[in-house]
Amino acid sequence: MNALPEIQHPIAAKDIEILRKLEQRVLWLATWMIHHANHIRPSRDGLKVGGHQSSSASLSTLMTALYFHSLRPQDRVAVKPHAAPVFHAIQYMLGRESRQQLENFRAYGGAQSYPSRTKDKTEVDFSTGSVGLGVGATLFAALVQDMIIGRNLLPDGHRPGRMIALMGDAEMDEGNIFEALLEGWKHDVRNLWWIVDYNRQSLDGVINDQLAPKLLRLFESFGWRTVQLKYGRKLEAARHGPAGEALLHWIDNCPNQLYSALSFKGGAAWRSHLRSDLAGSAGLAALLDSHDDASLSALMCNLAGHDLESILDAFSAAETEQPTLFLAYTIKGNGLPLAGHKDNHSGQMTAAQIADFRASCGIREGQEWQPLEGIGLPEAKVRAFLSTVPFAQRPPASSAATIPVAAIPVPEGARLSTQEAFGKVMTGLAREASPMADRIVTTSPDVTVSTNLSGWVNRRSLFNRFQNSDIFQTEKVPSAQKWQGKPSGQHYELGIAENNLFLMLSQLGLAHDFFGTRLLPVGTVYDPFINRGLDALIYACYQNARFMLVATPSGVTLAPEGGAHQSVNTPLIGMAQDGLAYFEPAYADELAAIMEWGFGHMQAADGGSVYLRLSTRVLEQIPRKLSAEQKADVVAGAYWLRRPDPGASVAIAYCGTIAPEAMEAAIAFAGRPPGPGILAITSPDRLYTDWETACRQRRNGDSMATAHIERLFMELPRDAGLVTIQDGHPAALAWLGSVQRNPVHALGVSRFGQSGDLQDLYKHFGLDSAAILAAMTEVQSR
């Protein structure tokens, strides 16, 4: 056997030795955590707990290098969902997570199945689990950091960090990753690492051959630095030995399925294929004779994604702002008896295999959870090393101070749509020199003008890392839009990809946690296209990001645009989505009160994000000035626009810009005294949530708990009929009949829309005053 050349490495040999021991310990803890959850912890329901031993194993080396050496306190990481056990094992070894959390992996209150900012007890940077979204989120976090730096908002003591995503190669099938990639190129993203666990296996099988060069070329075309981590030190050394070039050429051309199968079968299978496929290659006999089956298998599986020195070198060489893709070749299940098998994604080791693995790790039975058990080095030495790990020096998370909320005047105008009123509010805020206005950041997916944000942008400018001019202005071409790009700009103009909008809002809405700077994000989108980015919207709320989503135009009220641009189900989304308070005002004064409250709610410890469903329909404004009590009712979700007469037999509850039809029907019905009530619903979501909370409190013994809607309905007889109406799905208001068992006739839209004018469409869908009047008559007679 030829001697291997001596490997030189800038990291001290003693540190490499400790890192290798930590790598083995991390792999054990991650594997044991899953085994314990499925086979040792008692099951009360008989359900499989699950976990991903093989997916964890393929990333254990990369995460060891990252967390125990290369990661700095200011860096942020999105962990591959199926490597959550590795993340928890590392946090445990660093003293940042308890043994109880690991023992309760995937159990109530324990370490979560996938890293979660809101559910895990340890600090998680990016929630992951909905595949690909955590990856995209890191890119937008990097863009948010660019804005904060450009506007000189990074607090003293905070340093720019790298946003890092650890992903499986199968996640590259997710379109949102490539949507984000394009947006990053447009905005010249910086300080971003994407690390691909290129194990060439997905849930159901093995991925296509020769994907790697295509990915590398794609990223390079978008200005990324690419690093291919393919061969470990043993294979690189073998290149210079007998049959070395032939061996690596064979690996380069080996189909992914064959490489995976041989990784599972082991040394004898490798030997048989190499002897056959490389027959006649000079030095082949010497190569094969120099290895027994175990060492031959170790050589053939020595990919750089499992080679600490190769990884550490690559990470150390990437100390630039340029975004970098690391394509790290790995083996799914590396180090486990499941390695390479195409069924290993959900496969788990048997009790016998776990016992053998425990023995090979030098772990005594009963000591499986001890952090440094079997590590084989003086404990004091290892603990001293862990105490100096840069990532472990990250201070506890602390949120930025809140921004005072300025009063929002009611937009002027006798006739306004809620969309126009929103534009007037934002333009008014743009003129102010208030702390609130200075921290508002707007963004929109190519609909800035058509959602009435252009007045804000004209005054507050686009964000750009470098100063640039509006060429139409410099060329003296008349335009209503005067959009300059500059580092102090407060608007991110996005391409027409709603998924990117919600990922951007999620990261703007977490700036207070990530960068110590509170921003007040406002994003606009066409209401029907919430569905296009719904996965990312849910993800944003799951992270507890704080933002204001302004969705307009909405409903079939967007009449001539036809069914493709009309929204029906979005009220139900607004009601169902946790962490998102949905409002649908009809009038400008309601909108102003809601927005003022919303900017405070976005910052409150028990607050959340806000969704405004607005319209382009112009309404005659009610000449009034809302009192503090009336504003409180608007924010709470409803108020009586017309109180029902004593003994009234019917009432109308409307939501949004269908208000004129509700009033016309009430006037027509008023000839049959007592007069009906008109309930203005400004937030079906807030109204329902409050009622649900009161019901739960009463079930738990608080007999005095009363909801806002219950107090309002004290003025409505229990036998009175109730007609609900909304330009949206009728189920959003149908629940009102459950409050005090009033009979309900719910009107709304439950079918795809079509083109037409308001009169035709309202008649077609039963939203006009005649339909409301007929419903009042019908429900009154029950």
Side-chain angles (χ1 to χ4, degrees):
M1 178 188 295
N2 293 340
L4 296 179
E6 183 178 352
I7 296 173
Q8 301 294 329
H9 196 275
I11 300 172
K14 62 181 179 63
D15 289 346
I16 291 292
E17 180 185 27
I18 292 174
L19 286 169
R20 284 181 178 143
K21 296 292 186 179
L22 292 173
E23 173 194 3
Q24 183 63 30
R25 189 62 188 152
V26 164
L27 177 59
W28 163 259
L29 282 170
T31 306
W32 175 251
M33 192 186 315
I34 298 167
H35 181 80
H36 179 272
N38 286 273
H39 303 290
I40 297 177
R41 192 173 69 213
S43 174
R44 297 185 299 173
D45 55 18
L47 294 179
K48 174 186 173 183
V49 176
H52 302 88
Q53 289 176 331
S54 295
S55 292
S56 294
S58 63
L59 256 181
S60 58
T61 314
L62 284 157
M63 289 181 68
T64 295
L66 190 65
Y67 277 92
F68 291 122
H69 182 270
S70 301
L71 197 64
R72 304 169 302 179
Q74 66 268 31
D75 297 336
R76 300 280 175 173
V77 184
V79 175
K80 185 181 81 167
H82 294 151
V86 177
F87 170 78
H88 293 301
I90 290 172
Q91 299 298 310
Y92 176 57
M93 295 189 70
L94 290 172
R96 299 169 69 92
E97 194 162 0
S98 70
R99 172 174 167 174
Q100 182 182 23
Q101 292 299 111
L102 271 61
E103 288 182 338
N104 287 315
F105 173 61
R106 293 196 170 205
Y108 183 73
Q112 297 296 295
S113 308
Y114 309 117
S116 169
R117 283 180 52 84
T118 55
K119 307 300 181 186
D120 272 310
K121 298 298 188 293
T122 191
E123 185 179 2
V124 172
D125 296 324
F126 299 89
S127 297
T128 52
S130 190
V131 178
L133 291 174
V135 178
T138 60
L139 184 147
F140 288 97
L143 292 178
V144 171
Q145 180 175 250
D146 287 344
M147 170 178 276
I148 288 172
I149 293 171
R151 295 181 59 197
N152 295 315
L153 293 176
L154 198 64
D156 292 340
H158 285 254
R159 299 177 61 192
R162 291 175 296 226
M163 304 298 122
I164 301 170
L166 295 159
M167 72 187 85
D169 45 13
E171 286 185 82
M172 286 294 182
D173 289 340
E174 294 287 340
N176 67 74
I177 288 179
F178 299 99
E179 290 182 351
L181 181 65
L182 178 58
E183 201 64 58
W185 169 75
K186 292 177 185 176
H187 291 283
D188 192 26
V189 67
R190 306 280 92 188
N191 293 305
L192 182 65
W193 284 8
W194 284 1
I195 303 170
V196 181
D197 173 13
Y198 194 65
N199 60 46
R200 300 167 306 289
Q201 288 184 242
S202 61
L203 277 71
D204 290 336
V206 181
I207 68 170
N208 292 8
D209 294 325
Q210 300 303 315
L211 175 63
K214 293 177 173 57
L215 289 176
L216 294 170
R217 288 195 297 270
L218 176 66
F219 277 80
E220 287 164 2
S221 72
F222 282 110
W224 286 53
R225 179 175 178 266
T226 62
V227 179
Q228 185 173 206
L229 290 164
K230 188 167 189 178
Y231 296 122
R233 296 302 175 94
K234 290 180 182 179
L235 278 172
E236 285 295 347
R239 183 192 299 274
H240 306 291
E245 289 294 345
L247 177 68
L248 267 62
H249 180 73
W250 182 89
I251 296 175
D252 284 341
N253 291 283
C254 181
N256 289 337
Q257 288 203 42
L258 177 59
Y259 188 90
S260 294
L262 295 179
S263 297
F264 176 75
K265 294 179 72 175
W270 285 115
R271 189 180 303 278
S272 174
H273 270 270
L274 291 174
R275 184 175 287 130
S276 172
D277 296 347
L278 295 182
S281 299
L284 177 62
L287 169 66
L288 296 179
D289 290 346
S290 66
H291 293 282
D292 60 18
D293 283 351
S295 67
L296 180 61
S297 183
L299 174 67
M300 298 303 293
C301 294
N302 177 234
L303 301 180
H306 300 303
D307 189 275
L308 268 170
E309 290 94 330
S310 299
I311 296 167
L312 292 168
D313 276 348
F315 287 170
S316 297
E319 295 292 335
T320 69
E321 287 189 347
Q322 185 179 7
T324 301
L325 176 79
F326 297 92
L327 193 71
Y329 280 74
T330 61
I331 296 171
K332 194 167 183 174
N334 184 63
L336 305 180
L338 307 171
H341 198 289
K342 70 175 182 177
D343 300 337
N344 65 11
H345 183 80
S346 58
Q348 294 181 18
M349 293 165 64
T350 65
Q353 289 172 327
I354 280 287
D356 290 343
F357 187 41
R358 176 173 52 216
S360 72
C361 294
I363 295 168
R364 295 167 293 172
E365 191 169 357
Q367 302 300 309
E368 292 88 355
W369 293 110
Q370 295 304 313
L372 301 183
E373 172 71 13
I375 205 158
L377 293 173
E379 185 171 320
K381 177 181 179 180
V382 179
R383 292 196 181 280
F385 176 88
L386 291 175
S387 69
T388 62
V389 167
F391 167 75
Q393 313 310 312
R394 179 191 286 188
S398 60
S399 194
T402 58
I403 306 300
V405 176
I408 295 182
V410 177
E412 294 181 357
R415 290 173 51 81
L416 288 172
S417 70
T418 48
Q419 177 177 306
E420 184 183 1
F422 164 73
K424 286 176 175 285
V425 167
M426 294 301 297
T427 301
L429 287 171
R431 296 190 184 103
E432 295 182 2
S434 69
M436 186 176 91
D438 290 342
R439 292 302 179 94
I440 291 174
V441 176
T442 58
T443 185
S444 187
D446 202 36
V447 292
T448 299
V449 175
S450 51
T451 55
N452 283 50
L453 260 184
S454 56
W456 163 269
V457 179
N458 281 347
R459 289 168 175 80
R460 293 287 173 156
S461 299
L462 301 171
F463 171 75
N464 195 293
R465 291 178 59 240
F466 304 100
Q467 187 88 20
N468 61 25
S469 300
D470 183 335
I471 300 301
F472 276 74
Q473 278 190 283
T474 59
E475 291 294 324
K476 297 182 172 53
V477 178
S479 171
Q481 279 70 56
K482 302 173 178 61
W483 291 5
Q484 284 187 315
K486 51 188 177 182
S488 61
Q490 290 178 243
H491 178 77
Y492 254 117
E493 182 66 8
L494 302 175
I496 189 162
E498 285 76 14
N499 214 78
N500 284 344
L501 168 73
F502 294 123
L503 286 178
M504 174 61 88
L505 285 174
S506 74
Q507 298 314 299
L508 288 167
L510 290 171
H512 52 283
D513 282 347
F514 279 14
F515 310 115
T517 298
R518 189 174 296 277
L519 300 175
L520 300 173
V522 177
T524 63
V525 66
Y526 289 173
D527 192 64
F529 301 149
I530 283 177
N531 291 287
R532 287 184 180 174
L534 184 55
D535 195 17
L537 172 60
I538 295 169
Y539 173 77
C541 294
Y542 183 65
Q543 294 206 99
N544 197 26
R546 305 299 181 84
F547 52 87
M548 185 176 290
L549 172 64
V550 180
T552 181
S554 64
V556 297
T557 298
L558 186 61
E561 288 283 347
H565 282 67
Q566 294 169 358
S567 54
V568 173
N569 68 330
T570 48
L572 300 179
I573 292 172
M575 293 184 69
Q577 182 53 54
D578 187 21
L580 187 70
Y582 148 57
F583 291 88
E584 188 164 350
Y587 298 104
D589 53 1
E590 297 171 352
L591 175 66
I594 292 166
M595 289 185 68
E596 186 175 317
W597 173 87
F599 284 120
H601 182 69
M602 288 159 59
Q603 304 180 71
D606 61 348
S609 293
V610 179
Y611 159 35
L612 307 180
R613 189 174 188 254
L614 305 185
S615 174
T616 50
R617 187 186 187 192
V618 175
L619 298 186
E620 291 283 349
Q621 300 298 297
I622 301 173
R624 62 185 176 182
K625 182 177 181 180
L626 295 177
S627 66
E629 182 181 359
Q630 288 173 315
K631 287 182 180 180
D633 285 348
V634 166
V635 169
Y639 63 93
W640 284 113
L641 186 65
R642 183 193 187 282
R643 298 181 183 279
D645 288 347
S649 60
V650 69
I652 302 170
Y654 76 86
C655 182
T657 54
I658 207 75
E661 284 67 30
M663 294 178 190
E664 287 174 20
I667 291 170
F669 196 86
R672 317 173 199 176
I678 304 177
L679 186 68
I681 308 286
T682 51
S683 176
D685 177 32
R686 294 266 295 168
L687 209 58
Y688 177 81
T689 300
D690 180 52
W691 178 62
E692 181 186 46
T693 300
C695 292
R696 183 172 59 251
Q697 290 171 336
R698 289 195 291 269
R699 290 195 303 270
N700 293 335
D702 183 2
S703 60
M704 302 302 293
T706 307
H708 180 62
I709 187 60
E710 291 171 323
R711 291 188 290 273
L712 290 172
F713 274 6
M714 288 176 183
E715 301 188 42
L716 184 68
R718 286 180 175 270
D719 60 350
L722 187 63
V723 175
T724 65
I725 182 164
Q726 180 175 22
D727 187 354
H729 199 284
L733 297 179
W735 63 272
L736 286 168
S738 299
V739 175
Q740 60 175 17
R741 308 300 187 265
N742 295 90
V744 170
H745 194 136
L747 304 179
V749 182
S750 55
R751 291 167 287 157
F752 288 114
Q754 57 184 290
S755 297
D757 61 19
L758 285 182
Q759 289 77 8
D760 284 341
L761 292 190
Y762 280 13
K763 181 177 181 180
H764 175 77
F765 287 108
L767 303 178
D768 60 356
S769 58
I772 300 172
L773 185 60
M776 294 171 72
T777 302
E778 189 271 339
V779 79
Q780 180 194 35
S781 63
R782 288 184 180 177

